[in-house]
Amino acid sequence: MIPSNSTTDLLQGYEQSKAAFDEMWEGPGRIRTHWQHLLQQIQALGPNEMGHRKLELQRLLRDHGVTYNIYGSPQGARQLWKLDPIPYVLPQSTWDRIERGLQQRAQLLNLILADLYGERRLIRSGVLPVELIYSDRNFLRACDQVLAGQTQQLLLYAADLSRGPDGNIWVIGDRTQAPSGWSYTMENRIAMARALPELFANNHVRKIAPFYQQSRNALARFAPHDNTDPRIVMLTPGSMNETYFEHAYLAALQGFVLVQGRDLMVKDNFVWLKTLGGLEKVDIIVRRVDDSYCDPLALRADSQLGVAGLLEAARAGNVRIANPLGSGILENPGLLAFMPSISRYFLSEELILPNLASWWCGQPRERQYVLEHLDQLVIKQMDRRAGQRTVFGWQLTRVQREELQRKINAFPYLYIAQEQAVFSSSPAFDQQQLTARHTVLRCFAFAGESDYEVLSGGLTRSAPEAGNKHVSGQSGGSSKDTWVLSKEPVRPIRYQATLPPGLTQFKQLQDLPSSAAENLFWVGRYGNRILYIARLLRIVLKYRAEIENFDDASDTEIYHVLLQALTHITVTYPGFVGKEGQRNLAQPEQELRAIMLDPTKIGGLTHAIRMWKNGANAIRNRWSTDTWRIFDQVEEDWEHLMTDPSTNMLKIRSALDQLVYNISALVRLTHGSMSQEEGRSLFGIGMDLEYSLLMSAMLRATVVVKREPSIASSILEAILLNNHSLTTYRHRYRHYLQLDRVLDLILLDATYPQSMAFALQRLGHELDHLPKTGQPGKLRDDQKLILKTYTDLQLVETTSLVQTDDESVLLEDLDALLASVRQDLSKAADAITHTFFAHTGKAAQQALLLFNPDL
Amino acid sequence: MRYKITHTTEYRYQYPTTLCYNEAWMSPRSLDCQQVVRSRIKLTPAAAVLRHRQDFFGNEVAFFNVQEPHKRFTITVESEVERSAPANAVTTDHPAASWESVRDQLAVFRPDRIEARSFTLPSPLIRPAEELAAYAAPSFPAGRSLFESVLDLSTRIYREFEYDPEFTTVTTPVLEALSARKGVCQDYAQVAIGCLRSLGLPARYVSGYIETLPPEGEQTLVGAAASHAWFSAFIPDMGWVDFDPTNNQMAREQHITVAWGRDYSDVPPLKGIIFNGNEHELKVAVDVRRMEVD
């Protein structure tokens, strides 16, 4: 049935690359039963087609914006997520054991957690040595008795598993603080189902999607005070975090409000979300912030990521935190050594899944063993930050080894040794072939009604190349979809490529955190600023090219006026303005390039693009997949332009065209796809406000000075072009360009969508829809200011604006009007910020009390 | 002896602050030698939330949260305490067991020794170090009893250290105070604790007060007018014994124990987070007076 040459092609060299135990390869010519069907399907597709599908997977992940931040990476933080087209496959029999083993382990860890912050029977009865727990910085004494009496404490759980040479599955580590990987697991499955649907056929792959909804419902059951409709927030450290993508994605998928510490506050011993409309009570916090950073009062005082008073609110039972603060103690590596005896103590059971052999040096026999086998062991030191505390014994020089032995003898209880984890290998598709890679599997569970529920699958990661035993997200390997094969057929479900629409929406505007609203406002403002600057630059570069070809005095004058307008609009003084600007005007190249490409030039185009993207990234969960693709594209294109040594004016002009096109598309998409509740109004307010500000600056920089008619006319043409209004003007007036008519059209005509009057009118409506915070029946300051500006424009007579005595070079009335418009709009922007985005400010630590300062 | 203790802390801010969160370890604990007759905390402006609990070490902690705008915040704790000298500070009968034998005994698991053992471990501000062990060495010759050794250590710190409030702050590392031989009561106590732990012996940090105005003719002790601190060593058959190296004596009836922990960071009299943080001034006053009891 399958041409034998394709088999040999795909599997050529496979055996050499495999580990002691391979997930697929049982022996020469023998493929494990659960792999046979899948392998045939892969072979049927053939190496070329598999190659195409692999590219398709990468495209899907990129389009979905699936990223992973690598700390200290030179290319900037964001890295694309990698997914191998070959899944990691487990048959039902193996899976059943894993599932039972993880349920047992989660139960045990839950009991340990409740005990260590409660009665501490494990310590009092000698099952756990006091030194092991009390010298671990993750044992947080402030969390003592916080959940006293609660039997269910550990709500979320993840474990890393590997398979040894004998085929047994081992637990190599527990993740209990803020287990990550849930979103990547889901994205992997969505991408696989899209790119390789054939592989799923007849393989009975268990579904994973229901897990996510079920886990949300299960969490909701833990809401305090039996609240049946709890508000759940996901607390993230922010967009620089390693797995920020995951936080944004999970929040959107599960209907959690994505928040940072500054979005929350504790008042009356409850936790509140600061929203546009005021404070909203929070019932459950799913946190991705590490234990000690969650409350600067009770825990680390230097943390800016947490909420002061959070622990006390939890102690009062007014908020539930998943996982509870203090659960990091369960990640103590020495605990592994005691799990078998703890299991006997609490459950009178043996561990279903063994864990990595571990030796705590606080015990004399164990210490002796460790000292004698140092070169074969992985040594971990407690009381050190994660990452600093792992030493690989075989990498030590003799001197280093003796030094370590001395330290272990001095403070033995601080050291734990573990055997090196061994990994089985699993096929990966690389260079038209299947090759074996070491793999590790992360599994996930949540506390369900009667037992822990385990996700039927997980996140498999594999080493970057054959033989490499380093498997972690940070080491550049790839990930895999994880298949649990059911004996029974599984009813197919369709995975949606993007989020189901209902899930990204919020019950009401009330749920929009103030900081998210502020980001939307600024993304709107920066979006329009980029558009405006980019359009103006296109015209500037057009003149520049013309002058280069034919040195014309009036063209040069127009060019200079436009360059000065550019300085005014970007607020990059002196730039081309005033006495100091004279030199730049004579030699504009350097300044012009800086405005376009220098990221350190505040106000310049590159700076604006970065600010815009940062703002968007901070509210990653608010954008649809399609919108996000444009954000990424714009950033990618522009960063490329900046760093490409071959960038010349021609390339810049074409990049500007692309930029204008992309951002215009994004604005249309956003207006179409974002609901009012999600803050479309804030986005719109930002855009309209910025537009009006820019236009007043542009007009002031260009038309308030009287000029010779032919030059004035060319400048008007540039303004209309920049305003997307040249065609309309010509259509409406069928006349040469005249200032009063131009002003009528783009400044005063409230029926014309590109005019400032129109933008202000819409802005007024948008502001009316924001939650009222002023006195009933009265306008807020921001509303007043916009109404005033709009009314000023409505009442003005165009003829008076362009009238002037012959002496003056300035159109004084017009200048005064534009100046006052600009001032009022700036005040309105401040008023909006003050009314809606003002947070309670940065927390400061009170001075700790000093002893006896006067002695 | 009956004492009335008034501990007043006042913050003045340049601009009004709207929110503050605090935890205070200012109410004395009840002990065999110390009965707390009453202790109450007064806050101006009043706190929206005021909760009391016992912490991990059994100390009384108050949590409070002010939610109204204020430019001045006053925290006053008034306590009445009946204090007598602890029995183990009065006795002249000291166990002869050598300090090494105590150290070795503790390594063997005994349910009633778990707490003592836990105080041999490193803590946030005090980590065992060779320098500390070396400083302690002259007080711990082979075979000397633990009590005599600790007493000698406490006396040496008193003699060899200079009391200098300008030199240290609450976050000065123990090793820095040790190498300069300078500091305040907190540093004296933490150096002693570091020494004991570096030898594998248990020691804990005690925060409290000492009598401010002794009757005429009696000695005025250093550490008055503010919080005081000393250390406690675990001596089998005596229990926890309090030594005050700042005053070269054992804690007796003029010492009032508020709280204990591994080091200062477990029991600061007051800690807090304020919002709209701005410049502030801090004033602290402690008054400890004998009361006439009929």
Side-chain angles (χ1 to χ4, degrees):
Chain A
M1 188 172 71
I2 297 152
S4 61
N5 62 342
S6 115
T7 312
T8 28
D9 280 358
L10 265 173
L11 292 177
Q12 200 173 40
Y14 189 84
E15 197 178 359
Q16 284 80 50
S17 63
K18 78 177 198 60
F21 186 96
D22 189 80
E23 299 290 333
M24 175 187 77
W25 185 277
E26 202 169 1
R30 276 182 299 141
I31 300 299
R32 294 183 197 280
T33 321
H34 65 278
W35 250 100
Q36 286 171 2
H37 183 61
L38 178 59
L39 183 61
Q40 283 173 8
Q41 287 165 313
I42 293 168
Q43 285 167 335
L45 284 170
N48 285 334
E49 188 57 24
M50 285 300 292
H52 292 310
R53 302 299 178 89
K54 187 173 178 174
L55 291 175
E56 175 66 4
L57 277 179
Q58 289 311 316
R59 187 191 68 78
L60 284 167
L61 292 168
R62 193 182 60 235
D63 286 357
H64 290 185
V66 186
T67 55
Y68 188 85
N69 293 341
I70 295 194
Y71 297 127
S73 148
Q75 308 92 314
R78 223 158 38 81
Q79 301 289 305
L80 280 177
W81 184 249
K82 288 189 203 146
L83 174 59
D84 183 61
I86 313 295
Y88 180 78
V89 188
L90 289 165
Q92 183 168 335
S93 53
T94 310
W95 179 253
D96 287 346
R97 188 176 168 77
I98 291 177
E99 190 173 29
R100 284 202 320 278
L102 291 178
Q103 284 173 330
Q104 180 200 46
R105 199 167 176 89
Q107 276 172 17
L108 267 178
L109 291 169
N110 179 54
L111 290 167
I112 296 170
L113 185 63
D115 182 66
L116 290 181
Y117 291 106
E119 295 182 58
R120 287 185 277 281
R121 280 163 54 209
L122 286 172
I123 292 174
R124 284 191 287 119
S125 59
V127 178
L128 267 182
V130 65
E131 290 86 349
L132 178 68
I133 301 303
Y134 283 22
S135 61
D136 187 339
R137 68 165 71 221
N138 287 318
F139 180 63
L140 302 176
R141 287 159 181 79
C143 299
D144 188 41
Q145 313 297 332
V146 166
L147 288 177
Q150 299 276 5
T151 50
Q152 194 65 62
Q153 302 203 357
L154 186 72
L155 304 185
L156 305 171
Y157 171 55
D160 288 333
L161 307 180
S162 76
R163 202 200 279 266
D166 55 359
N168 283 331
I169 303 271
W170 294 74
V171 175
I172 58 174
D174 300 295
R175 293 283 171 273
T176 53
Q177 283 203 61
S180 65
W182 295 49
S183 301
Y184 298 105
T185 305
M186 187 69 199
E187 271 292 354
N188 281 354
R189 176 60 58 86
I190 291 170
M192 283 291 285
R194 275 278 299 271
L196 286 149
E198 300 93 334
L199 297 191
F200 287 82
N202 300 318
N203 261 322
H204 308 338
V205 182
R206 285 223 197 143
K207 297 182 265 184
I208 62 170
F211 179 85
Y212 294 83
Q213 196 52 42
Q214 286 160 6
S215 71
R216 187 204 189 280
N217 296 340
L219 268 180
R221 287 195 304 116
F222 293 101
H225 311 301
D226 297 322
N227 185 346
T228 51
D229 185 20
R231 179 175 280 103
I232 308 180
V233 300
M234 172 165 272
L235 179 63
T236 170
S239 57
M240 295 311 289
N241 185 262
E242 187 186 28
T243 56
Y244 177 68
F245 160 78
E246 161 147 310
H247 312 163
Y249 182 93
L250 260 189
L253 184 68
Q254 302 198 296
F256 304 153
V257 186
L258 185 68
V259 301
Q260 297 188 26
R262 65 196 167 100
D263 295 320
L264 302 177
M265 72 179 289
V266 171
K267 201 180 165 195
D268 300 326
N269 226 11
F270 283 84
V271 178
W272 304 82
L273 173 63
K274 294 180 240 171
T275 75
L276 268 191
L279 298 179
E280 295 291 326
K281 197 175 282 180
V282 171
D283 303 286
I284 296 171
I285 298 174
V286 180
R287 67 177 171 104
R288 291 305 177 92
V289 172
D290 279 352
D291 281 337
S292 55
Y293 287 88
C294 284
D295 183 345
L297 176 69
L299 304 167
R300 279 185 75 129
D302 60 347
S303 169
Q304 297 288 336
L305 307 175
V307 189
L310 178 62
L311 189 62
E312 195 63 26
R315 195 190 308 278
N318 291 335
V319 69
R320 199 65 194 256
I321 305 168
N323 277 332
L325 302 188
S327 43
I329 186 63
L330 299 176
E331 294 177 5
N332 179 315
L335 215 47
L336 295 186
F338 296 90
M339 285 303 276
S341 43
I342 296 173
S343 177
R344 275 172 237 132
Y345 180 80
F346 275 137
L347 305 175
S348 306
E349 288 174 13
E350 295 300 319
L351 288 180
I352 297 171
L353 291 178
N355 56 223
L356 207 58
S358 305
W359 297 267
W360 178 58
C361 296
Q363 295 158 302
R365 270 220 331 260
E366 281 75 1
R367 173 166 70 243
Q368 201 50 41
Y369 177 83
V370 171
L371 291 172
E372 282 163 15
H373 297 86
L374 218 46
D375 56 346
Q376 300 154 32
L377 298 171
V378 179
I379 294 93
K380 298 187 172 179
Q381 188 183 348
M382 282 195 308
D383 206 31
R384 278 268 177 277
R385 281 158 220 271
Q388 292 178 346
R389 61 183 187 188
T390 303
V391 171
F392 300 98
W394 54 92
Q395 292 175 353
L396 297 177
T397 62
R398 201 172 56 88
V399 178
Q400 288 170 323
R401 196 161 57 235
E402 283 166 7
E403 168 72 8
L404 182 60
Q405 282 168 336
R406 202 180 55 76
K407 284 189 190 162
I408 292 176
N409 276 321
F411 297 103
Y413 54 83
L414 292 181
Y415 294 88
I416 291 140
Q418 294 181 328
E419 67 181 351
Q420 193 193 2
V422 283
F423 304 102
S424 62
S425 58
S426 183
F429 185 75
D430 189 30
Q431 307 196 340
Q432 306 285 305
Q433 280 191 357
L434 293 183
T435 66
R437 300 283 165 82
H438 289 91
T439 49
V440 57
L441 169 64
R442 176 167 292 184
C443 290
F444 305 95
F446 64 83
E449 206 133 2
S450 58
D451 200 342
Y452 283 88
E453 302 283 342
V454 183
L455 174 87
S456 298
L459 179 62
T460 302
R461 285 164 300 162
S462 61
E465 61 269 324
N468 186 329
K469 288 176 182 165
H470 232 74
V471 188
S472 89
Q474 297 279 355
S475 68
S478 181
S479 74
K480 287 169 166 298
D481 191 15
T482 307
W483 288 10
V484 174
L485 303 186
S486 178
K487 285 188 185 127
E488 314 300 323
V490 176
R491 191 168 54 84
I493 53 166
R494 280 209 304 276
Y495 293 100
Q496 280 163 316
T498 52
L499 300 177
L503 286 179
T504 55
Q505 297 191 355
F506 290 87
K507 278 180 271 184
Q508 43 198 337
L509 196 54
Q510 254 58 11
D511 264 356
L512 186 70
S514 300
S515 66
E518 186 172 15
N519 276 310
L520 281 164
F521 175 73
W522 280 104
V523 174
R525 286 191 70 171
Y526 274 114
N528 242 348
R529 197 177 292 180
I530 295 166
L531 262 186
Y532 211 90
I533 298 172
R535 285 205 196 116
L536 180 57
L537 278 167
R538 288 201 300 192
I539 301 166
V540 166
L541 294 186
K542 192 185 81 154
Y543 273 94
R544 182 188 163 277
E546 277 167 19
I547 294 163
E548 231 168 46
N549 290 334
F550 184 75
D551 189 8
D552 175 281
S554 56
D555 274 357
T556 305
E557 186 176 344
I558 297 162
Y559 183 48
H560 285 181
V561 170
L562 293 174
L563 285 175
Q564 287 171 333
L566 190 60
T567 300
H568 287 296
I569 280 176
T570 54
V571 202
T572 47
Y573 299 109
F576 299 106
V577 174
K579 233 164 125 184
E580 288 172 80
Q582 285 303 320
R583 221 178 40 179
N584 279 339
L585 268 189
Q587 299 279 341
E589 287 303 299
Q590 201 188 349
E591 175 71 8
L592 189 55
R593 244 186 126 86
I595 287 179
M596 293 189 287
L597 298 179
D598 181 357
T600 63
K601 187 125 187 136
I602 311 288
L605 185 56
T606 298
H607 179 254
I609 290 173
R610 289 197 173 171
M611 295 298 285
W612 172 76
K613 180 70 197 299
N614 285 347
N617 200 29
I619 41 172
R620 174 71 179 82
N621 57 325
R622 308 249 157 208
W623 311 105
S624 69
T625 308
D626 292 334
T627 321
W628 190 252
R629 193 180 312 174
I630 303 180
F631 276 112
D632 272 350
Q633 194 63 51
V634 167
E635 184 187 45
E636 209 173 286
D637 289 353
W638 204 259
E639 296 292 321
H640 177 73
L641 188 74
M642 277 169 57
T643 48
D644 184 357
S646 73
T647 292
N648 54 27
M649 284 298 174
L650 205 64
K651 285 193 176 173
I652 293 176
R653 282 179 75 173
S654 118
L656 288 171
D657 286 341
Q658 193 59 38
L659 182 64
V660 168
Y661 172 82
N662 275 333
I663 295 201
S664 306
L666 188 136
V667 168
R668 276 194 304 277
L669 261 175
T670 305
H671 264 285
S673 69
M674 197 181 267
S675 71
Q676 186 73 19
E677 288 71 24
E678 286 171 300
R680 186 182 73 197
S681 56
L682 266 305
F683 182 77
I685 286 167
M687 288 203 61
D688 284 335
L689 191 65
E690 186 68 23
Y691 185 72
S692 307
L693 275 164
L694 288 165
M695 202 195 288
S696 61
M698 178 73 181
L699 290 173
R700 246 192 124 192
T702 50
V703 300
V704 298
V705 177
K706 284 192 279 184
R707 296 179 208 279
E708 190 212 317
S710 73
I711 288 175
S713 168
S714 295
I715 288 174
L716 287 176
E717 185 182 320
I719 290 170
L720 287 171
L721 202 59
N722 203 38
N723 210 52
H724 252 305
S725 300
L726 190 57
T727 321
T728 309
Y729 182 93
R730 293 214 162 114
H731 183 76
R732 192 182 278 195
Y733 298 104
R734 303 177 188 285
H735 201 280
Y736 64 92
L737 302 172
Q738 213 171 294
L739 179 58
D740 53 351
R741 290 184 173 157
V742 169
L743 292 178
D744 267 338
L745 180 67
I746 67 170
L747 189 64
L748 307 176
D749 183 351
T751 65
Y752 176 56
Q754 300 292 333
S755 78
M756 190 195 291
F758 187 93
L760 289 173
Q761 196 176 31
R762 186 167 54 195
L763 181 54
H765 289 311
E766 284 162 336
L767 290 175
D768 291 344
H769 282 103
L770 291 186
K772 291 268 183 281
T773 55
Q775 291 172 339
K778 289 197 166 179
L779 295 181
R780 297 182 311 258
D781 286 350
D782 52 298
Q783 290 172 301
K784 286 181 192 164
L785 286 158
I786 297 304
L787 181 63
K788 173 177 177 292
T789 314
Y790 175 70
T791 312
D792 286 349
L793 293 186
Q794 291 285 289
L795 297 179
V796 80
E797 289 296 336
T798 323
T799 44
S800 80
L801 290 179
V802 295
Q803 259 170 17
T804 172
D805 57 77
D806 293 341
E807 304 286 293
S808 170
V809 292
L810 207 64
L811 301 172
E812 279 158 9
D813 286 4
L814 180 59
D815 189 50
L817 174 71
L818 292 171
S820 109
V821 163
R822 200 166 160 72
Q823 197 183 8
D824 289 338
L825 291 175
S826 302
K827 280 192 202 160
D830 289 345
I832 291 169
T833 300
H834 182 75
T835 311
F836 295 104
F837 313 142
H839 306 304
T840 36
K842 227 171 146 178
Q845 198 190 337
Q846 267 176 2
L848 295 175
L849 200 53
L850 298 171
F851 286 88
N852 212 354
D854 32 56
L855 269 171
Chain B
M1 198 66 63
R2 176 76 59 102
Y3 289 105
K4 180 176 180 178
I5 305 123
T6 311
H7 184 162
T8 309
T9 309
E10 185 183 86
Y11 284 95
R12 280 165 185 264
Y13 304 107
Q14 195 182 355
Y15 308 105
T17 180
T18 44
L19 268 178
C20 77
Y21 304 84
N22 292 87
E23 281 184 327
W25 281 259
M26 291 183 176
S27 291
R29 303 180 62 127
S30 285
L31 307 165
D32 286 345
C33 62
Q34 180 175 299
Q35 282 83 52
V36 180
V37 181
R38 65 176 64 87
S39 177
R40 63 189 190 106
I41 185 164
K42 213 178 98 189
L43 304 166
T44 319
V49 176
L50 170 62
R51 285 162 54 87
H52 298 274
R53 68 165 206 277
Q54 284 200 340
D55 72 4
F56 180 84
F57 303 98
N59 305 305
E60 302 291 324
V61 196
F63 167 91
F64 41 94
N65 169 208
V66 175
Q67 296 172 186
E68 60 183 273
H70 58 281
K71 282 184 75 172
R72 184 194 294 196
F73 184 31
T74 317
I75 301 137
T76 309
V77 179
E78 279 182 6
S79 310
E80 256 180 66
V81 173
E82 183 71 42
R83 168 84 191 197
S84 52
N88 62 23
V90 180
T91 181
T92 51
D93 180 20
H94 301 131
S98 73
W99 67 271
E100 302 100 315
S101 68
V102 172
R103 179 195 60 197
D104 297 343
Q105 268 175 42
L106 280 169
V108 182
F109 177 78
R110 254 177 65 176
D112 59 340
R113 291 283 165 81
I114 290 172
E115 197 211 359
R117 244 166 81 160
S118 76
F119 282 101
T120 62
L121 301 174
S123 62
L125 298 177
I126 309 177
R127 301 183 57 82
E130 283 164 11
E131 294 93 320
L132 287 160
Y135 179 77
S139 301
F140 290 79
R144 187 188 244 183
S145 83
L146 178 57
F147 177 81
E148 279 174 56
S149 305
V150 177
L151 192 64
D152 187 66
L153 174 70
S154 180
T155 301
R156 278 182 50 230
I157 293 174
Y158 170 75
R159 293 211 180 110
E160 294 167 16
F161 278 61
E162 182 191 340
Y163 197 92
D164 183 357
E166 300 298 312
F167 180 72
T168 56
T169 70
V170 288
T171 53
T172 301
V174 174
L175 290 182
E176 210 173 292
L178 175 71
S179 70
R181 303 281 200 271
K182 279 182 183 176
V184 294
C185 52
Q186 178 199 352
D187 306 297
Y188 283 40
Q190 295 200 142
V191 166
I193 295 165
C195 287
L196 288 167
R197 291 190 193 154
S198 299
L199 298 174
L201 294 164
R204 67 190 184 195
Y205 180 93
V206 187
S207 125
Y209 306 108
I210 49 175
E211 187 178 30
T212 324
L213 292 170
E216 222 170 299
E218 285 184 42
Q219 188 194 358
T220 302
L221 299 175
V222 180
S227 292
H228 190 48
W230 56 94
F231 75 95
S232 193
F234 181 78
I235 299 175
D237 301 324
M238 288 183 84
W240 288 96
V241 184
D242 287 13
F243 296 84
D244 179 358
T246 315
N247 290 299
N248 193 27
Q249 58 175 242
M250 295 180 69
R252 293 171 196 269
E253 63 180 5
Q254 285 170 286
H255 287 73
I256 297 124
T257 301
V258 171
W260 62 65
R262 295 167 296 164
D263 58 37
Y264 170 81
S265 69
D266 280 332
V267 287
L270 186 66
K271 64 178 180 178
I273 301 283
I274 49 166
F275 285 84
N276 295 346
N278 52 54
E279 295 287 307
H280 66 253
E281 272 178 56
L282 168 66
K283 276 202 295 197
V284 183
V286 172
D287 185 50
V288 181
R289 286 170 192 277
R290 292 192 188 194
M291 295 174 75
E292 299 302 322
V293 185
D294 299 325

